[in-house]
């Protein structure tokens, strides 16, 4: 089984080579190289695009337990204090902790490669969590269908909790999320002849304001939703009327129904804008992630187990408006995701995120003990 020192080295090696969704070529090679060093008797290994599936033969083949780790990095310029294991990929960083997720999965896998598990296991190294989304196509692939788990688990690092903390809840853990890209097309012209043009800067400004009314006026106040516009672009020069404007944002909701409601309102409002401003508007929802919903009985079993572990500081947390494409696995397979405390001042997707590496050994031990029980 991999030692704490080996795990730390693996995490640092992976931290050096962050790669974007479906470009995780070096990462895949590195992981395969590590797995090749484990005893191979119980293992069957398959590649899926830039991801990997590893099957571990159990003593009893009637059930299969899945464990998923995501493997991609983010387009962020690293600003950590690391000197000897900084990202060597310009403009890319493991700023969401997926380097730790992979390392922990390898640690658990190395244990069960040496020590045959009770039931079959499938370790899923999934590409493209940050986009365009690897979970859904992976679930639909023949590679995964052949080894489809009966239960599944995963973790995500949580900077806000100390090492030794596991935070979890039954039911909704992460929100439904959708990207939002709106393009408005009108007619450009000279700034001094507005009557001959159709200004998309004005139309986009109105639309951004109208979008604010969806959460405040359409979503039930006892429910919750987010419509954030993060980008508004239009025009080329101060004295030219813009023929095009683009609005980009994100939608977050606590239920699938509210996601549908918000999208319907966006479509209705844009239809009204088309008439009102005599322009054409197109909507693209980009990457959509379904909620992460922890199945009641499987999650309760894990929570009860953790209550008996002195080493674990168990927190029953609230749901968060963050998104995770692991939700697609949980739509089809009962299971859960939990937060793993890594004690960093800076949050997920922050260029300064420095997770405490002591969380790695703690996580491996806790997951191994749980799966071996
Ligand atoms: Zn992320
Ligand atoms: Zn993540």
């Amino acid at each position: 089984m991999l030692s704490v020192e080996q795990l730390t080295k693996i995490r640092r090696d992976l931290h050096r080579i962050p790669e974007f969704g479906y470009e995780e070529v070096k990462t895949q090679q590195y992981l395969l190289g590590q797995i090749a060093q484990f005893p191979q008797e119980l293992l069957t290994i398959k590649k899926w695009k830039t991801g990997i599936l590893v099957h571990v033969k159990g003593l009893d083949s009637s059930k299969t337990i899945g464990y998923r780790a995501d493997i991609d990095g983010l387009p962020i310029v690293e600003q950590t204090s690391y000197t000897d294991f900084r990202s060597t990929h310009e403009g890319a960083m493991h700023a969401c902790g997926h380097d730790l997720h992979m390392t922990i999965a390898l640690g658990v896998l190395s244990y069960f490669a040496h020590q045959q598990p009770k039931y079959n296991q499938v370790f899923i190294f999934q590409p493209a969590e940050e986009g365009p989304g690897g979970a859904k196509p992976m679930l639909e692939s023949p590679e995964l269908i052949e080894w489809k788990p009966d239960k599944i688990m995963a973790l995500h690092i949580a900077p806000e909790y100390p090492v030794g903390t596991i935070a979890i809840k039954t039911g909704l853990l992460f929100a439904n999320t959708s990207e939002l890209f709106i393009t408005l097309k009108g007619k450009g012209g000279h700034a001094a002849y507005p009557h001959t043009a159709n200004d998309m800067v004005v139309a986009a400004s109105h639309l951004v304001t109208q979008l604010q009314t969806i959460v405040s006026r359409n979503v039930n106040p006892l429910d919750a939703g987010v419509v954030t516009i993060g980008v508004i672009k239009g025009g080329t020069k101060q004295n030219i009327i813009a023929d095009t404007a683009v609005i980009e944002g994100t939608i977050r909701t606590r239920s699938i129904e509210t996601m549908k409601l918000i999208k319907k309102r966006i479509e209705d409002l844009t239809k009204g804008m088309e008439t009102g401003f005599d322009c054409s508007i197109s909507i693209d929802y980009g990457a959509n992630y379904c909620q992460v919903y922890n199945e009641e009985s499987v999650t309760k079993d894990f929570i009860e187990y953790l209550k008996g572990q002195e080493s674990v500081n168990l927190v029953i947390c609230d749901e968060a408006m963050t998104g995770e494409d692991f939700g697609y696995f949980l739509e089809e397979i009962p299971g859960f995701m939990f937060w793993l405390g890594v004690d960093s001042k800076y949050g997920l997707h922050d260029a300064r995120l420095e997770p405490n590496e002591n969380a790695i050994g703690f996580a491996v031990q806790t997951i191994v003990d749980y799966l071996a029980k």
Side-chain angles (χ1 to χ4, degrees):
M1 185 183 169
L2 291 168
S3 68
V4 169
E5 292 71 34
Q6 287 170 313
L7 290 167
T8 306
K9 183 183 179 302
I10 289 171
R11 185 264 157 163
R12 293 179 177 192
D13 288 345
L14 288 166
H15 190 81
R16 282 191 194 96
I17 54 163
E19 295 168 298
F20 305 142
Y22 294 126
E23 294 171 11
E24 304 96 329
V25 179
K26 287 190 206 169
T27 306
Q28 184 189 45
Q29 275 214 318
Y30 181 87
L31 294 171
L32 287 170
Q34 289 294 326
I35 297 163
Q37 294 171 44
F38 304 158
Q40 299 294 302
E41 293 73 41
L42 304 174
L43 308 186
T44 314
I45 301 161
K46 283 196 270 198
K47 286 196 221 173
W48 179 82
K49 297 190 179 185
T50 46
I52 304 166
L53 294 161
V54 185
H55 186 275
V56 187
K57 190 177 164 16
L59 295 160
D60 173 351
S61 283
S62 67
K63 262 192 226 165
T64 302
I65 313 295
Y67 184 91
R68 176 273 207 173
D70 41 8
I71 70 170
D72 54 327
L74 284 159
I76 290 178
V77 178
E78 180 163 354
Q79 290 173 39
T80 62
S81 66
Y82 301 154
T83 48
D84 47 351
F85 57 96
R86 282 179 92 81
S87 168
T88 57
H89 293 173
E90 183 89 28
M93 178 186 170
H94 271 300
C96 200
H98 300 183
D99 47 348
L100 277 83
H101 299 174
M102 289 184 266
T103 307
I104 292 163
L106 281 178
V108 177
L109 172 57
S110 79
Y111 176 87
F112 288 107
H114 287 88
Q115 199 71 46
Q116 187 165 25
K118 179 157 190 244
Y119 298 114
N120 290 341
Q121 295 174 339
V122 175
F123 287 81
I124 300 162
F125 294 91
Q126 180 216 302
E129 191 282 325
E130 302 286 359
K136 204 161 188 250
M138 206 170 195
L139 267 164
E140 289 160 0
S141 72
E143 288 87 344
L144 190 88
I145 289 168
E146 193 197 343
W147 291 343
K148 193 167 173 186
D150 300 291
K151 289 178 186 175
I152 192 159
M153 64 188 288
L155 63 81
H156 204 292
I157 65 157
E160 65 271 35
Y161 294 114
V163 173
T165 299
I166 288 180
I168 190 168
K169 71 184 284 288
T170 56
L172 186 74
L173 186 71
F174 289 4
N176 296 273
T177 73
S178 173
E179 295 177 340
L180 176 64
F181 301 93
I182 301 177
T183 306
L184 301 92
K185 284 212 157 68
K187 190 163 165 258
H190 194 289
Y193 299 88
H195 56 294
T196 65
N198 194 4
D199 190 345
M200 288 306 103
V201 164
V202 174
S205 308
H206 277 265
L207 182 56
V208 170
T209 309
Q210 288 190 10
L211 292 173
Q212 307 309 309
T213 65
I214 298 175
V215 172
S216 69
R217 302 292 88 184
N218 302 129
V219 173
N220 182 333
L222 298 177
D223 189 3
V226 173
V227 177
T228 291
I229 302 303
V231 172
I232 173 164
K233 284 187 284 202
T236 50
K237 199 169 180 293
Q238 117 288 346
N239 62 355
I240 300 173
I241 289 173
D243 63 352
T244 306
V246 174
I247 293 168
E248 300 178 8
T250 184
I251 313 166
R252 310 277 161 124
T253 68
R254 295 180 61 206
S255 74
I256 293 167
E257 293 69 45
T258 307
M259 178 59 76
K260 282 188 195 147
L261 167 77
I262 290 179
K263 286 184 173 174
K264 166 127 192 352
R265 287 302 299 148
I266 291 172
E267 286 151 24
D268 290 348
L269 288 172
T270 52
K271 265 184 216 133
M273 296 283 306
E274 283 183 319
T275 313
F277 287 81
D278 189 23
C279 59
S280 70
I281 302 179
S282 61
I283 303 171
D284 177 357
Y285 291 115
N288 286 255
Y289 287 176
C290 94
Q291 61 196 15
V292 171
Y293 196 89
N294 286 342
E295 196 269 343
E296 186 94 11
S297 74
V298 184
T299 310
K300 273 195 175 148
D301 179 70
F302 184 58
I303 291 174
E304 285 310 310
Y305 173 78
L306 295 177
K307 280 183 183 165
Q309 302 305 302
E310 268 185 27
S311 59
V312 178
N313 172 35
L314 174 67
V315 173
I316 303 299
C317 60
D318 292 327
E319 59 265 45
M321 279 294 180
T322 43
E324 239 287 352
D325 75 349
F326 184 61
Y328 289 109
F329 283 98
L330 294 180
E331 238 189 347
E332 287 194 27
I333 304 164
F336 57 86
M337 172 168 259
F338 63 88
W339 290 111
L340 174 74
V342 295
D343 197 16
S344 165
K345 287 198 269 201
Y346 303 108
L348 300 173
H349 293 205
D350 191 304
R352 297 161 296 178
L353 175 76
E354 290 186 21
N356 184 329
E357 290 171 332
N358 292 331
I360 297 170
F362 164 78
V364 171
Q365 196 60 54
T366 306
I367 296 162
V368 163
D369 289 349
Y370 174 66
L371 291 176
K373 89 172 157 84

